[in-house]
């Protein structure tokens, strides 16, 4: 039996499901029960009947799954797979800002640690950020941790958004100069970028979308060529699902080293040994669940 077959066997024996983010390595994408963006995977985690969720992504995603399904065992195959952006905001610092802007509501990107979610009024993802901020009952919003996502959202809402000073090191590396050159090289291609990109890159885009938003858009579009401004892992899936179309990175390929830590062997071990379970304090789960469930009302 090869390793993928071993994984399938263990999955059945243990009543487990494998959730995989769109940036994971191709061989991990290929064994997914559900492959998607942060919002889609959060929904899957909330709805599954499986006993075990193996989350192939980064820690905040596995924590989100645990918060939404606290009775289940949620496993992160590589315990060190974190998101540097999520670590840019701490509860202590957020409390200071909340005191300074009393009356403001806190919207936190799902790319935050569980304790920060617990301190927030509502969460959002790149797929529903505008809806969430538009609908929150406050004229002033503290937004953590991504300043680029906050700036993107500010383009569509009249409210005052107070951004945290965080960013994604992967998307921040996409420079407008290289994107311009890519556009010159492929003038007929549509440029799809992720809202974690710098505003100077967003200005050049034809569409600004979450990772699954890019997949849906590319599938439905009549265009044949696309420039993709996000982590390079998405290109594998775009090509696989759209054989008649061409996809190019907008500039040099950018890789999230945290997303790429998980290997097939890690997934096998994770299932076999049931490692590494996400454990969170009950009070954190309770408060963070309110913020996440409030988010799940938005598309
Ligand atoms: P989405 O897949 O939700 O667009 O998120 C991108 C990302 O950077 C996750 O860490
Ligand atoms: Fe975090 Fe950026 Fe990696 Fe996503 S791509 S996990 S936001 S560092």
């Amino acid at each position: 039996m090869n390793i993928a077959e071993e994984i399938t066997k263990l999955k059945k024996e243990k009543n487990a499901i494998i959730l995989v983010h769109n940036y994971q390595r191709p061989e991990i994408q290929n064994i997914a029960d559900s492959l998607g963006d942060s919002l889609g995977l959060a929904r899957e985690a909330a709805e599954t009947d499986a006993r075990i969720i193996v989350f192939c992504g980064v820690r905040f995603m596995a924590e989100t799954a645990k918060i939404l399904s606290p009775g289940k065992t949620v496993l992160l195959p590589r315990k060190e797979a974190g998101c540097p952006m999520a670590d840019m905001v701490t509860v202590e610092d957020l409390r200071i800002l909340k005191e300074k802007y009393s009356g403001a509501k806190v919207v936190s990107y799902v790319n935050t640690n569980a304790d920060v979610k617990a301190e927030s009024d509502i969460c959002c993802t790149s797929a529903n950020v505008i809806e969430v901020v538009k609908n929150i009952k406050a004229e002033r919003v503290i937004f953590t941790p991504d300043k680029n996502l906050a700036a993107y959202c500010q383009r569509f809402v009249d409210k005052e958004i107070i951004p945290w000073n965080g960013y994604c090191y992967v998307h921040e590396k996409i420079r407008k100069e290289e994107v311009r050159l890519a556009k010159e090289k492929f003038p007929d291609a549509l440029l799809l970028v992720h809202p974690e990109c710098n505003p100077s890159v967003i200005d050049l885009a034809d569409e600004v979308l979450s990772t699954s938003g890019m997949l849906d858009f590319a599938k439905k579009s009549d265009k044949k060529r696309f420039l993709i401004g996000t982590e390079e892992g998405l290109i594998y899936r775009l090509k696989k699902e759209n054989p008649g179309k061409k996809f190019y990175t907008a500039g040099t390929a950018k890789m999230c080293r945290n997303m790429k830590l998980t290997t097939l062997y890690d997934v096998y071990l994770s299932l076999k040994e049931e490692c590494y379970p996400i454990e969170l304090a009950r009070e954190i789960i309770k408060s963070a669940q309110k913020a996440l469930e409030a988010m799940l009302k938005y598309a």
Side-chain angles (χ1 to χ4, degrees):
M1 242 193 285
N2 67 30
I3 194 155
E5 289 164 348
E6 296 272 10
I7 289 170
T8 309
K9 184 169 166 264
L10 276 171
K11 223 170 55 174
K12 274 199 197 121
E13 279 169 20
K14 299 202 170 200
N15 185 16
I17 184 176
I18 302 180
L19 303 187
V20 178
H21 187 266
N22 289 324
Y23 294 159
Q24 291 282 292
R25 296 165 185 260
E27 62 275 25
I28 305 288
Q29 295 195 22
N30 292 342
I31 55 149
D33 291 301
S34 183
L35 176 62
D37 66 0
S38 312
L39 185 60
L41 295 174
R43 286 195 197 289
E44 286 287 340
E47 286 162 15
T48 181
D49 292 329
R51 181 178 72 85
I52 296 178
I53 298 172
V54 180
F55 212 115
C56 301
V58 289
R59 179 166 291 274
F60 77 80
M61 295 179 172
E63 284 187 353
T64 298
K66 181 71 183 176
I67 293 161
L68 289 169
S69 276
K72 298 190 189 308
T73 299
V74 178
L75 305 173
L76 182 65
R78 287 293 289 258
K79 61 176 182 303
E80 72 277 39
C83 166
M85 171 157 70
D87 294 334
M88 288 177 186
V89 53
T90 64
V91 182
E92 293 72 28
D93 289 343
L94 177 56
R95 285 190 184 139
I96 294 170
L97 203 64
K98 279 172 82 170
E99 251 174 54
K100 186 170 168 196
Y101 296 102
S102 63
K105 296 264 189 207
V106 179
V107 178
S108 284
Y109 194 20
V110 278
N111 302 39
T112 41
N113 296 316
D115 55 351
V116 169
K117 287 186 175 76
E119 197 67 28
S120 306
D121 293 292
I122 189 165
C123 291
C124 72
T125 73
S126 56
N128 61 14
V129 57
I130 297 166
E131 281 302 293
V132 167
V133 175
K134 266 191 185 161
N135 285 293
I136 198 165
K137 289 190 178 28
E139 285 312 303
R140 196 180 238 180
V141 170
I142 295 171
F143 190 95
T144 84
D146 187 359
K147 64 177 177 184
N148 289 337
L149 189 62
Y152 173 65
C153 183
Q154 186 71 83
R155 296 178 188 219
F156 302 93
V157 295
D158 288 335
K159 299 175 179 184
E160 182 190 1
I161 300 180
I162 298 146
W164 200 263
N165 195 21
Y167 61 91
C168 163
Y169 76 95
V170 182
H171 289 88
E172 197 55 34
K173 272 192 208 150
I174 304 175
R175 308 310 307 167
K176 65 175 188 299
E177 294 77 13
E178 61 176 341
V179 176
R180 273 208 198 98
L181 285 175
K183 283 180 75 151
E184 277 168 29
K185 193 168 169 200
F186 300 104
D188 59 325
L190 279 186
L191 172 64
L192 315 185
V193 311
H194 196 275
E196 288 176 16
C197 288
N198 187 278
S200 60
V201 170
I202 303 258
D203 285 341
L204 302 172
D206 293 299
E207 299 291 334
V208 181
L209 297 160
S210 78
T211 55
S212 288
M214 289 187 200
L215 282 150
D216 288 346
F217 184 90
K219 212 169 275 179
K220 288 181 192 143
S221 173
D222 298 334
K223 295 274 182 181
K224 290 280 175 268
R225 305 222 272 190
F226 301 86
L227 288 164
I228 304 298
T230 192
E231 208 272 350
E232 53 92 44
L234 185 68
I235 304 245
Y236 169 73
R237 189 172 168 198
L238 282 163
K239 285 184 175 166
K240 188 174 167 188
E241 294 181 7
N242 299 280
K245 299 181 180 180
K246 297 270 184 216
F247 299 92
Y248 310 94
T249 54
T252 57
K254 307 295 187 294
M255 190 192 281
C256 174
R257 56 181 175 266
N258 317 71
M259 279 282 181
K260 296 297 192 280
L261 281 173
T262 311
T263 64
L264 268 187
Y265 188 64
D266 294 326
V267 178
Y268 164 74
L269 271 188
S270 173
L271 268 166
K272 188 163 175 277
E273 310 289 337
E274 302 199 9
C275 58
Y276 296 91
I278 299 290
E279 278 157 18
L280 296 168
R282 208 175 309 157
E283 322 78 73
I284 298 278
I285 291 187
K286 217 171 136 203
S287 305
Q289 205 173 57
K290 279 191 207 144
L292 279 169
E293 282 176 353
M295 170 191 90
L296 290 180
K297 295 192 185 104
Y298 297 96

